């Protein structure tokens, strides 16, 4: 059976449970979340996701504490097989490319502190793929935060992976068409 994504309220409940479990273990984790959750948290209408992507380079991950907290919250942690429920995934650089940035604290639940890239950095990361949902996400970020092409282009230049940076540069044209 395919797992169903969670909306803002669903993720907030899961995050509250993660934070509670971490606090009960006497542990605090600082996790930078990339991808859909930042959009959901910002109030993007009708947006849901099955996964919570943790950007490993900017996070303090205690794998044992995270696995225990995920189990308590009813989430899978770094699944490798068929996904049957929402999950947390620790993402390493490679397939995904996030520009260099200073993460912003966006939420706190018990022993869980969530960070996110600045909106322009998130938009730049989404330009490395530029699928239809990514373009919709960029449009939402542009409207919500008043982003302009120059904001996003500056972060595109900070994407460490050369191939991803080139693709994002080419895809900046999407910002020209939606501005």
């Amino acid at each position: 059976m395919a797992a169903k994504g969670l909306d803002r309220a669903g993720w907030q409940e899961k995050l509250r449970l993660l934070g509670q479990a971490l606090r009960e273990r006497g542990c605090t984790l600082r996790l930078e979340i990339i991808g859909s959750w930042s959009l959901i948290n910002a109030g993007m209408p009708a947006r849901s996701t099955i996964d919570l992507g943790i950007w490993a380079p900017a996070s303090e991950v205690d794998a044992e504490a995270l696995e225990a907290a995920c189990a308590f919250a009813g989430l899978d942690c770094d699944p490798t097989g068929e996904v049957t429920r929402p999950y947390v995934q620790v993402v390493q650089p490679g397939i995904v490319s996030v520009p260099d940035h200073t993460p912003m604290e966006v939420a706190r639940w018990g022993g869980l502190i969530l960070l996110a890239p600045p909106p322009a950095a998130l938009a730049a990361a989404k330009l490395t793929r530029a699928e239809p949902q990514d373009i919709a996400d960029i449009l939402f970020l542009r409207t919500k935060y008043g982003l302009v092409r120059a904001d996003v282009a500056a972060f595109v230049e900070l994407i460490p992976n050369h191939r991803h940076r080139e693709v994002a540069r080419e895809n900046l044209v999407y910002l020209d068409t939606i501005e």
Side-chain angles (χ1 to χ4, degrees):
M1 167 173 63
K4 182 180 174 196
L6 299 174
D7 61 8
R8 189 170 197 266
W11 274 112
Q12 285 188 336
E13 177 59 15
K14 295 294 187 186
L15 293 166
R16 184 189 69 73
L17 291 169
L18 281 171
Q20 177 184 338
L22 291 167
R23 181 188 297 140
E24 288 173 3
R25 290 179 66 92
C27 184
T28 298
L29 296 184
R30 293 176 55 84
L31 305 177
E32 182 175 3
I33 307 303
I34 58 172
S36 304
W37 182 84
S38 292
L39 295 143
I40 292 167
N41 189 54
M44 186 173 185
R47 191 72 157 93
S48 65
T49 186
I50 192 166
D51 71 308
L52 189 68
I54 297 169
W55 186 236
S59 298
E60 298 168 7
V61 179
D62 175 326
E64 183 180 327
L66 182 59
E67 286 178 31
C70 284
F72 179 81
L75 296 166
D76 286 334
C77 187
D78 280 331
T80 56
E82 182 182 350
V83 175
T84 59
R85 62 185 181 169
Y87 64 96
V88 170
Q89 185 78 53
V90 178
V91 180
Q92 300 290 340
I95 295 173
V96 174
S97 232
V98 176
D100 292 334
H101 64 279
T102 300
M104 308 177 319
E105 184 175 323
V106 293
R108 191 180 285 245
W109 286 274
L112 178 62
I113 300 168
L114 289 187
L115 309 166
L122 184 58
K126 288 187 162 289
L127 284 173
T128 65
R129 193 173 69 167
E131 295 291 329
Q133 183 61 62
D134 297 311
I135 300 305
D137 292 347
I138 292 166
L139 178 58
F140 172 78
L141 291 167
R142 183 186 66 90
T143 302
K144 172 92 178 179
Y145 298 104
L147 299 180
V148 295
R149 186 185 201 277
D151 298 331
V152 179
F155 277 104
V156 165
E157 295 307 313
L158 299 175
I159 294 172
N161 180 297
H162 174 39
R163 184 174 45 85
H164 290 168
R165 187 172 55 252
E166 288 301 316
V167 169
R169 280 180 186 148
E170 291 173 14
N171 287 333
L172 278 167
V173 69
Y174 288 113
L175 286 163
D176 297 333
T177 62
I178 62 177
E179 284 191 50

